[in-house]
Amino acid sequence: MKAFAYHQPRTVADAVRLLSQRGTMAIAGGQDILGAMKDGLFEPEHLVNLKSLPGLGDIKETSTGLQIGALVTLSDIAEHPVIRRDYTALAEAAEAVATLQIRNVGTIGGNLCQRPRCWYFRDPHVHCLKKGGDQCYAVRGDNRYHAIISPGPCYIVHPSDCAPALIALGAKVTIAGAKGTRTVALKHFFQMPDKNLKGENVLQPGEVVTQITVPKPKAGTRSTYLKVREKDSFDWALVSAAVVLQMQGEICRAATVVLGGVAPVPYDSASAAKMLVGKPVTVQTATAAGKAAVEQATPLEHNAYKVPLAAAVVKRAVLAAARGVRE
Amino acid sequence: MPQQKTKRIKTTITVNGETREVEIEVPDIEAAWGDPRNMRWLGKRIPRVEGADKVTGRAKYTYDIQLPGMLYGKILRSPYPHARIRSIDASRAQRLPGVKAVITDLTREVKYVGEEVAAVAAVSEQVARDALKLIRVEYEPLPFVVTPETAREPSAPRVHGGQNVSGGNPRERGDVDSAFRRSDVVVHEATYSVPARSHCCLEPHGLVCQWQGDKLVAWASTQGIFSVRDELAGALGIPASNVRVICEHMGGGFGSKFGARSEGVICARLAKHAGAPVKLMLEREEEQLATGYGPGVTAKVKIAATRDGQLIAWESESYGSGGVGGGSGIPLPYIYPVPNVRTRHYDIATNTGASAALRAPGHPQASFIMESAMDDLAHKLGMDPLEFRLKNDPNPVRQAEYRLGAERIGWHRRNRVAGQAPGVVKRGLGVASAIWGGGGGAGSRPTVRIDPDGSVEVRLGTQDLGTGTRTYVAAIVAEELGLDIRQVKALIGDTDYGYSGASGGSTTTASVAPAVKMAAMAAKERLVAVVSQHLQANPADIVLADGKLTARGGSEKSLTWQQACALLGKEGIEVQGEWNANLQGSGVAGCQFAEVEVDTETGKVRVVKIVAIQDCGLVLNRLAVESQIYGGVTQGLAMALYEQRLFDEQTGRMLNANLEEYKLPGSLDMPDVEAIVYDNPTGKVSGMGEPPVIPTAAAIGNAVFNAIGKRIHSLPITPAKVLQALGKV
Ligand SMILES: Cc1cc2nc3c(=O)[nH]c(=O)nc-3n(C[C@H](O)[C@H](O)[C@H](O)COP(=O)(O)OP(=O)(O)OC[C@H]3O[C@@H](n4cnc5c(N)ncnc54)[C@H](O)[C@@H]3O)c2cc1C
Ligand code: SF4
């Protein structure tokens, strides 16, 4: 790892000021960035420790929902009784991340801001499009884990497990920057590569995520997160789905279906949701939702398997969410 | 002079991981292990003697060696799969404060990503890493090829200048063509393949080198302290007697840690240049790129049996790649005798690192190919796969093991017709077999020493790969002398002790244990001679048990161990032992049964249970044998479902040179494993470290076939392949 200067700001304003300078990066739990620095992928001259900021490590319940500080660990989210009960998809997503050791240290802010796992991107000796090079190696190379839905020119899948769950639950993120703070719906936080090739989200240099706000689910809401991976002892999703259903008796009144592992952003499928709203949740409607979720898919050479897989994952997640509905 | 009686025996020998069956002439000296029922230690479950040291962190591995003034070595490796080195400028690295030695004369042409280009030693790992970045290398990239499929093409870039493809000589017996043409046979044809797999030793390769004048001491993570010694001496041009190699504990080798290897020679040279000890341990990426791997193999197979299920003919054309060196041949047909056989194997050079022996080299690959073909043929014959094996496997031990395993797994629950399991998640059962030599060889020179104060020591320059060598060395001596195992100090892992061979080919136990037994017997004979005089008893009547020496059948007088040893002169007893062929055997058998669940919507395979049965003749330490079975099954499951080295044809680089995308199972992926040590009453000791890895992947593949009625022809069996086979993609 290349030597760097280490900063421990005490206020968000100081952190923002430090991070506005070139060659500076933020570290929270370090579970992503330290590996990338050791591999020589990133070589910041200054590292700003967000963990020295006070007040960003709590989960607060308010009358309108949850406020989760950016430094809250994934373990704390996975174990939180209220999250487990009322925001189940989020607890299940956090629990599906990596290993217990990583979850004990990794933060929710870091989970949302982590960089893609594309193996060409992660190889410091490969200069691909996303890193300013002139080609995407995934197009003609080994793209088994890449996106089946992307406008191009990059085909990463967003690696975060928590993001699909939070988007499905309608979360917003608070962002602090040089010009003050702003709040963005998490759905609009992430950006497709045709809008933003070098990054994955709307953060400008110097900006940090300080808080995630999740609205209180309406009565009759039940959610789940389902992740399929090649192996169970830590692995990234081949495909995952967060499903939030608001039920009234047998009938689904509102639905959100957000997929992981299929696109450069968590993929919010309105067409899948449409198959469910106003109808009872049955194997037929769940299957239709699964089919609808992948109707836009244009797989690459080696990842067509993700199409039936995504359809199956959505179907199952819908059925599982419906089964868990509490009145 | 009376002529010494000799006899000829068949045994296995291993040279740098290549295991061969040989016939040798050996002295025929009478010796026997005795009846296992009367033993206190041997055959029982003996916790390993260094277990507490390992779990408390007291055990010193190579990485734990700290010497005063010690430096850290790092190697600069090629980022290119093939390139000429035009120039190397290390002057800036040399000037970096803290850098004490730089080597740049390693090669002028690199042939794979990760090949050694230069090396430095510095006061810390960090300074050494920084120094590598300051070395300017001007490369001239050359054409490269990283997959055997592309390397086979006539137009492919040449890896070594000559043809990429070698071998291909047909091996033939019987009349293959007419056997396939017979009217009463059923023929099956298919192509099966296994990818290249990395060793992934828990402890990386590496060593610490310290010069004392013109003498070198090296602490190494190795499977062969004497082979490291010889290779270092040869490469450095010094007498072997000037090199001492120490390996007290090591964290796995699996065939990749035989010699000093390039990092060993580099470490010794850096230490010489710097005039200070150097520690050079590889990192995980280096492990993946440059320390060997088990080659992948693809085989086009044609197999035939008579309608009543007798194997009659086999033909296969196979190819594999050992990268820039190392073969890829495998034993086909495997295990089941076939009278008419024609095989052809091609080795294909590629710009990937050189392959190395990997736990039962070639056998797991051969097993997957053969056992898949066996099941596919059984399916065509409408025959139960187990019955098909019972009919074609003449080995009496495996015959018994098949029956035992079938009962333990509940074979009657299999799908009579493959794929007829109900539901979305389908269950299936599969079986496959293992064969191995496991014999030993002469050469080990253990010393047993008894001091007048009663202390007992056994010394031997063997090494414990984690298989439990140290424990049975102590146990054999304790058994012979009637002591508690804690009273015997077993000293191994140092070339200053008597010679012993490298640990490979599962030959260690059958080489070491007989020699230790002979040394212990000789020590006992000397002690008994003294004690029998003192007790005025016949030496043959003296029994050693429970820390006492008792004269049986007469006075029943006895001495405690302490009293007996006190009768010895100051010099105590110090005797050597030699290997005795009558104490070892060769030819072990095993089989495994797998139960799986296949999710037909996600394509995911979950292994529910493995029943693994293995014989090794006389069991020395039941716990250690079980532990080898668990380890073998774990590696076999990894091969079945997860492992593969992936190379990118555009860049020539390995895509998963890590442990994140190079997937290994964790505890959540492991099924219930029932390890059964089959007690084969040969009365002789054989090795078994390798065979438990052989049949697991094949058994899992066959279980998947039984569940879904579709064959996955290549490993690993991923969700993508299962969905494809089910026609969902
Ligand atoms: C072996 C392994 C397996 C993994 N498996 C999974 C998995 O299955 N699912 C999954 O979702 N993740 C997985 N991860 C990723 C890991 O869980 C997440 O990266 C972790 O949550 C990151 O949190 P952190 O606090 O450690 O982030 P850090 O490593 O500290 O930061 C990650 C990135 O986010 C930026 N950052 C951090 N906090 C903020 C903030 N508040 N505002 C702006 N930028 C910020 C940093 O600058 C950095 O670029 C895995 C990682 C490893 C090493
Ligand atoms: S998918 Fe994106 S990150 Fe990966 S190689 Fe292509 S451009 Fe680079």
Side-chain angles (χ1 to χ4, degrees):
Chain A
M1 190 187 292
K2 200 175 145 219
F4 53 85
Y6 190 53
H7 304 273
Q8 305 244 56
R10 296 270 152 221
T11 64
V12 171
D14 278 349
V16 167
R17 193 175 42 72
L18 284 162
L19 283 165
S20 304
Q21 277 146 46
R22 289 189 56 177
T24 307
M25 292 182 83
I27 181 169
Q31 294 309 294
D32 179 27
I33 196 169
L34 284 177
M37 285 171 67
K38 285 183 180 170
D39 290 345
L41 181 62
F42 305 133
E43 300 194 317
E45 315 225 315
H46 298 269
L47 201 59
V48 178
N49 182 16
L50 300 182
K51 286 211 146 174
S52 58
L53 299 175
L56 299 184
D58 301 320
I59 301 172
K60 287 196 207 90
E61 288 167 66
T62 68
S63 54
T64 55
L66 283 182
Q67 289 174 0
I68 306 173
L71 296 176
V72 170
T73 66
L74 299 171
S75 290
D76 284 344
I77 291 174
E79 286 158 18
H80 196 278
V82 174
I83 299 183
R84 292 184 76 87
R85 192 190 64 209
D86 296 339
Y87 307 81
T88 315
L90 177 58
E92 289 175 351
E95 196 160 20
V97 171
T99 63
L100 186 58
Q101 289 92 330
I102 291 174
R103 295 196 292 274
N104 281 343
V105 185
T107 66
I108 184 70
N111 191 267
L112 298 178
C113 299
Q114 63 174 306
R115 305 305 312 275
R117 306 303 305 192
C118 166
W119 37 36
Y120 299 103
F121 177 77
R122 289 271 160 176
D123 185 338
H125 291 281
V126 175
H127 197 52
C128 75
L129 209 51
K130 195 172 181 60
K131 294 190 277 187
D134 56 12
Q135 62 167 311
C136 168
Y137 289 87
V139 171
R140 286 192 296 129
D142 193 328
N143 46 38
R144 71 185 69 200
Y145 297 132
H146 286 78
I148 51 172
I149 300 171
S150 171
C154 163
Y155 296 87
I156 59 156
V157 290
H158 200 280
S160 169
D161 279 312
C162 297
L166 282 168
I167 291 175
L169 289 164
K172 294 190 172 82
V173 283
T174 306
I175 299 169
K179 295 184 209 126
T181 60
R182 58 182 174 134
T183 300
V184 179
L186 189 59
K187 184 179 168 180
H188 302 303
F189 176 76
F190 296 105
Q191 293 176 306
M192 281 290 196
D194 57 343
K195 295 256 158 42
N196 181 355
L197 180 57
K198 296 215 166 137
E200 295 79 45
N201 56 48
V202 301
L203 287 182
Q204 297 296 312
E207 286 190 323
V208 292
V209 172
T210 54
Q211 186 175 283
I212 295 110
T213 318
V214 196
K216 197 178 208 117
K218 301 218 171 74
T221 299
R222 179 62 178 159
S223 67
T224 195
Y225 183 74
L226 185 65
K227 173 178 177 181
V228 172
R229 44 192 150 179
E230 286 183 329
K231 67 192 178 81
D232 290 328
S233 300
F234 102 69
D235 205 353
W236 281 274
L238 292 176
V239 170
S240 67
V243 171
V244 179
L245 302 178
Q246 189 207 333
M247 302 293 291
Q248 192 177 47
E250 293 293 289
I251 305 299
C252 172
R253 284 294 160 215
T256 342
V257 177
V258 183
L259 288 87
V262 298
V265 299
Y267 182 70
D268 188 346
S269 174
S271 26
K274 221 168 87 188
M275 293 294 159
L276 302 167
V277 177
K279 298 176 199 152
V281 176
T282 62
V283 172
Q284 282 70 30
T285 54
T287 306
K291 279 219 180 83
V294 292
E295 81 204 348
Q296 300 293 325
T298 49
L300 303 166
E301 192 181 344
H302 305 290
N303 66 4
Y305 72 95
K306 284 194 178 186
V307 177
L309 179 56
V313 170
V314 167
K315 178 190 93 174
R316 282 191 192 181
V318 167
L319 291 173
R323 265 200 305 277
V325 172
R326 253 187 317 269
E327 296 305 321
Chain B
M1 225 174 95
Q3 249 215 299
Q4 202 183 27
K5 247 175 57 183
T6 63
K7 65 173 186 175
R8 295 189 71 78
I9 62 158
K10 276 214 180 106
T11 188
T12 41
I13 61 159
T14 300
V15 180
N16 279 339
E18 293 285 334
T19 305
R20 286 203 304 273
E21 177 128 311
V22 291
E23 200 176 274
I24 52 172
E25 185 158 305
V26 293
D28 189 9
I29 302 165
E30 238 165 89
W33 287 98
D35 189 336
R37 281 170 304 188
N38 302 334
M39 294 182 186
R40 172 166 175 208
W41 298 104
L42 300 184
K44 304 292 181 300
R45 304 168 63 85
I46 319 169
R48 56 184 72 215
V49 290
E50 72 282 356
D53 282 351
K54 283 187 170 169
V55 297
T56 55
R58 261 195 315 255
K60 291 268 176 283
Y61 289 79
T62 302
Y63 194 85
D64 300 318
I65 302 296
Q66 295 293 348
L67 302 172
M70 190 179 74
L71 305 173
Y72 295 83
K74 285 277 166 212
I75 297 173
L76 182 69
R77 294 178 181 276
S78 169
Y80 294 102
H82 194 187
R84 203 164 289 129
I85 296 175
R86 287 229 188 89
S87 65
I88 304 182
D89 175 5
S91 53
R92 286 177 67 211
Q94 216 118 31
R95 287 198 300 272
L96 185 72
V99 173
K100 304 292 182 190
V102 180
I103 294 177
T104 58
D105 61 355
L106 295 171
T107 183
R108 287 287 129 201
E109 184 180 337
V110 284
K111 290 189 173 172
Y112 60 94
V113 171
E115 188 166 351
E116 300 83 358
V117 171
V120 302
V123 291
S124 71
E125 283 195 84
Q126 190 54 54
V127 173
R129 274 199 200 102
D130 289 347
L132 292 187
K133 291 220 177 95
L134 295 176
I135 299 177
R136 289 278 157 265
V137 184
E138 202 191 327
Y139 294 98
E140 177 191 334
L142 298 171
F144 62 85
V145 59
V146 289
T147 64
E149 289 73 21
T150 308
R152 264 193 330 179
E153 301 296 326
S155 59
R158 305 285 175 88
V159 174
H160 296 297
Q163 294 285 342
N164 290 338
V165 180
S166 60
N169 297 328
R171 296 222 247 166
E172 194 157 351
R173 64 169 182 263
D175 185 348
V176 184
D177 296 322
S178 39
F180 277 120
R181 277 198 305 268
R182 272 169 57 165
S183 59
D184 63 335
V185 303
V186 174
V187 180
H188 167 72
E189 283 182 84
T191 299
Y192 305 97
S193 73
V194 179
R197 293 163 299 127
S198 303
H199 295 71
C200 299
C201 308
L202 206 51
E203 181 194 29
H205 292 65
L207 55 176
V208 176
C209 286
Q210 181 177 39
W211 289 88
Q212 294 161 347
D214 58 355
K215 294 209 167 86
L216 174 66
V217 184
W219 287 262
S221 173
T222 182
Q223 302 179 233
I225 51 176
F226 279 92
S227 45
V228 172
R229 180 195 70 158
D230 295 347
E231 201 180 315
L232 282 176
L236 300 165
I238 56 174
S241 55
N242 279 18
V243 184
R244 178 180 172 200
V245 177
I246 301 169
C247 175
E248 231 204 305
H249 301 287
M250 63 95 76
F254 307 109
S256 70
K257 289 183 179 169
F258 281 110
R261 303 177 26 86
S262 49
E263 64 270 8
V265 178
I266 289 171
C267 182
R269 286 185 58 200
L270 287 170
K272 184 100 192 172
H273 286 317
V278 171
K279 177 189 284 182
L280 198 165
M281 299 297 294
L282 301 192
E283 299 181 18
R284 190 53 64 184
E285 186 186 23
E286 301 179 280
E287 288 288 301
Q288 289 282 21
L289 295 177
T291 64
Y293 55 88
V297 181
T298 298
K300 192 163 163 263
V301 166
K302 191 171 169 190
I303 182 173
T306 55
R307 257 182 248 292
D308 62 348
Q310 201 64 51
L311 281 175
I312 190 98
W314 170 276
E315 184 171 10
S316 62
E317 189 172 286
S318 54
Y319 67 86
S321 177
V324 295
S328 62
I330 59 170
L332 283 178
Y334 191 58
I335 297 192
Y336 310 100
V338 189
N340 304 292
V341 174
R342 183 187 300 129
T343 61
R344 225 186 253 273
H345 182 81
Y346 299 92
D347 280 312
I348 301 171
T350 52
N351 291 105
T352 61
S355 70
L358 170 56
R359 200 170 187 173
H363 287 241
Q365 294 95 317
S367 169
F368 178 72
I369 292 163
M370 183 79 195
E371 303 277 10
S372 299
M374 287 285 284
D375 265 35
D376 286 344
L377 184 56
H379 184 69
K380 266 198 178 167
L381 287 163
M383 219 171 154
D384 172 0
L386 181 60
E387 195 193 323
F388 190 38
R389 284 171 177 77
L390 285 166
K391 192 153 190 161
N392 284 285
D393 188 344
N395 183 295
V397 176
R398 258 192 314 274
Q399 287 279 334
E401 289 175 339
Y402 288 135
R403 295 199 161 87
L404 175 60
E407 186 195 308
R408 302 303 305 169
I409 197 84
W411 185 252
H412 63 276
R413 296 180 300 124
R414 77 189 183 282
N415 303 306
R416 306 270 151 180
V417 179
Q420 286 207 335
V424 168
V425 178
K426 298 188 186 295
R427 286 216 167 197
L429 299 181
V431 59
S433 314
I435 191 170
W436 199 252
S444 291
R445 291 275 184 289
T447 300
V448 170
R449 184 173 164 77
I450 303 173
D451 273 301
D453 69 349
S455 53
V456 180
E457 197 177 273
V458 47
R459 291 192 299 264
L460 180 63
T462 182
Q463 51 281 313
D464 192 333
L465 271 79
T467 51
T469 313
R470 186 183 276 105
T471 303
Y472 67 68
V473 165
I476 290 167
V477 177
E479 187 74 53
E480 197 64 31
L481 301 180
L483 296 175
D484 189 289
I485 193 169
R486 281 162 295 199
Q487 287 173 271
V488 179
K489 196 195 283 177
L491 298 172
I492 64 167
D494 191 331
T495 52
D496 273 1
Y497 306 144
Y499 177 83
S500 195
S503 294
S506 304
T507 57
T508 310
T509 302
S511 304
V512 165
V516 171
K517 165 87 173 168
M518 295 305 286
M521 279 168 62
K524 172 171 146 184
E525 195 178 299
R526 300 258 184 110
L527 182 64
V528 165
V530 174
V531 169
S532 60
Q533 257 184 3
H534 183 83
L535 295 180
Q536 297 186 326
N538 188 339
D541 293 337
I542 306 283
V543 174
L544 284 73
D546 304 324
K548 284 200 302 256
L549 293 87
T550 309
R552 282 281 139 80
S555 62
E556 293 288 328
K557 276 193 287 191
S558 74
L559 292 177
T560 66
W561 177 257
Q562 236 65 29
Q563 289 166 335
C565 294
L567 301 173
L568 300 171
K570 271 204 179 60
E571 70 280 13
I573 293 172
E574 183 159 329
V575 288
Q576 280 204 337
E578 276 196 41
W579 186 69
N580 184 319
N582 289 329
L583 294 173
Q584 66 97 41
S586 180
V588 299
C591 69
Q592 294 185 16
F593 290 75
E595 177 171 0
V596 304
E597 268 179 12
V598 184
D599 187 324
T600 56
E601 286 183 352
T602 64
K604 196 160 158 171
V605 173
R606 191 170 77 85
V607 182
V608 179
K609 184 167 175 124
I610 300 279
V611 172
I613 313 179
Q614 181 62 48
D615 110 81
C616 58
L618 182 78
V619 177
L620 292 180
N621 180 358
R622 201 163 294 272
L623 207 52
V625 174
E626 285 170 6
S627 162
Q628 287 303 304
I629 296 177
Y630 292 130
V633 168
T634 307
Q635 274 182 321
L637 182 140
M639 172 181 172
L641 302 183
Y642 309 125
E643 286 187 88
Q644 69 194 119
R645 294 165 62 84
L646 297 171
F647 282 84
D648 180 50
E649 297 215 60
Q650 305 164 94
T651 59
R653 295 180 58 80
M654 189 171 166
L655 291 167
N656 55 351
N658 50 46
L659 288 183
E660 288 155 23
E661 302 293 355
Y662 188 94
K663 298 190 178 183
L664 294 176
S667 52
L668 295 176
D669 304 300
M670 285 309 295
D672 174 16
V673 179
E674 187 174 338
I676 301 175
V677 182
Y678 181 86
D679 282 284
N680 185 7
T682 61
K684 296 176 191 299
V685 164
S686 302
M688 56 69 67
E690 284 160 296
V693 80
I694 295 170
T696 318
I700 291 171
N702 285 341
V704 169
F705 177 75
N706 185 248
I708 62 174
K710 302 282 182 228
R711 171 66 53 185
I712 310 299
H713 288 92
S714 69
L715 294 180
I717 303 173
T718 58
K721 288 182 194 166
V722 172
L723 289 173
Q724 180 106 43
L726 290 168
K728 304 214 167 175
V729 177

